[in-house]
Amino acid sequence: MMRIVIAEDEAMIRRGLVETIDWAGMDATVVGEAADGMEALAVVREQTPDVLLADIRMPRMSGLDVAETLRAEGSRTAIVFLTSYAEFSYAQRAVRLGAADYLLKPVEEADIARVLAQLRPTEDSASGVSAEDSLALVGWPQADAASQTGNPYVADVLAAIRSRYRERLSIDALADAAGVSASYLSRKLKEATGHTFSGLLARYRIAQSLPLLRAGRMRVYEVAEAAGFTDYKSFCQAFKKYLHESPRAWLSREGETHETL
């Protein structure tokens, strides 16, 4: 059972997360809660949970500072941030700090279930493919190539893919937000990673689908939607392109057949 700590300074939201989410149905339990960053840090140190759900902006110590401190201490707790569209710049920094994911407020139970399903393989080696193994399988560039180039625009694109892969992303929109041309950004991205933007986005989405498929709690078309694909057909096409077999064939080969599929 996954052990969860929830850190949220708004009492109503925190109580809603603690009391109304069907944690048991996700094979999880809340072992602690905190109203600010300092309290969150203390609770995580005491409870050593599998997952910390933390608001990015909290009194006394931000969720980002909590993450930075925990990483410096060598904590293995996976950190999932709660944020809003207006705080996307914070979400980019969160990804760079090694955040497992981020959830937009108001948080939906289905989104929490999806994130926990993705995290579970990294916590339980018996369940198979880890998050990093999944990325390696689809050819995602090691270390995101950002450290190799030092190009902040490339780093921001890779951070955007990691944190917003479920959205309708385009290189044009990201270039416009960065204040550079789409052609320049595409060229630098290809130089740094060896892949196009659309290829990177599809690879990352496929990597995110693997633990969901293994968990066996969702149908293939539901996995496709959760991973950011617009339809089942495009998901299967991308899956076959990068893993050279269909989702069902992959599951069968891995020895993980599920009746729901």
Side-chain angles (χ1 to χ4, degrees):
M1 180 169 285
M2 298 187 80
R3 303 170 74 253
I4 314 295
V5 165
I6 296 173
E8 166 62 62
D9 61 304
E10 294 186 46
M12 185 175 297
I13 295 177
R14 187 174 69 255
R15 298 313 307 162
L17 288 170
V18 172
E19 297 176 359
T20 66
I21 300 296
D22 181 16
W23 296 107
M26 302 177 198
D27 195 28
T29 182
V30 176
V31 297
E33 56 182 284
D36 61 54
M38 291 290 288
E39 188 179 356
L41 191 58
V43 174
V44 170
R45 285 168 172 165
E46 178 183 355
Q47 296 292 337
T48 60
D50 298 306
V51 180
L52 168 65
L53 291 178
D55 192 4
I56 281 186
R57 302 180 70 178
M58 292 186 290
R60 295 208 293 168
M61 190 177 193
S62 73
L64 295 172
D65 290 335
V66 171
E68 197 163 25
T69 301
L70 289 174
R71 290 296 171 257
E73 294 176 353
S75 172
R76 295 175 64 93
T77 294
I79 301 171
V80 177
F81 284 108
L82 309 177
T83 185
S84 66
Y85 278 112
E87 298 169 338
F88 179 63
S89 61
Y90 293 101
Q92 289 177 303
R93 183 184 164 200
V95 171
R96 292 173 188 153
L97 284 172
D101 209 329
Y102 84 111
L103 296 173
L104 290 173
K105 296 180 182 181
V107 180
E108 299 290 337
E109 184 167 327
D111 290 330
I112 294 176
R114 172 188 55 75
V115 168
L116 294 189
Q118 291 173 329
L119 291 177
R120 198 172 300 278
T122 67
E123 301 297 329
D124 181 2
S125 59
S127 62
V129 179
S130 72
E132 292 307 312
D133 288 339
S134 296
L135 289 172
L137 279 175
V138 299
W140 180 263
Q142 290 187 348
D144 287 352
S147 61
Q148 301 171 22
T149 66
N151 188 309
Y153 299 118
V154 170
D156 284 348
V157 169
L158 294 170
I161 290 175
R162 278 187 173 273
S163 60
R164 299 171 59 194
Y165 64 91
R166 295 182 299 276
E167 302 175 22
R168 289 180 177 272
L169 289 179
S170 72
I171 192 69
D172 296 290
L174 293 175
D176 185 59
V180 297
S181 70
S183 60
Y184 168 83
L185 191 55
S186 296
R187 184 174 69 256
K188 290 301 180 182
L189 191 63
K190 183 68 179 290
E191 290 174 359
T193 68
H195 303 297
T196 63
F197 172 78
S198 60
L200 285 167
L201 180 58
R203 289 170 192 272
Y204 195 81
R205 285 171 170 170
I206 291 297
Q208 302 313 300
S209 77
L210 300 185
L212 297 178
L213 287 169
R214 275 187 165 274
R217 297 184 180 91
M218 304 168 71
R219 299 179 185 276
V220 174
Y221 75 86
E222 292 173 325
V223 169
E225 182 178 353
F229 287 92
T230 56
D231 56 70
Y232 172 81
K233 183 178 179 181
S234 61
F235 169 64
C236 290
Q237 288 175 337
F239 200 101
K240 192 166 185 178
K241 178 178 181 178
Y242 297 115
L243 291 181
H244 311 295
E245 56 189 337
S246 70
R248 288 188 175 86
W250 182 82
L251 271 175
S252 178
R253 184 176 56 77
E254 292 291 309
E256 296 288 337
T257 56
H258 301 284
E259 292 182 0
T260 56
L261 299 182

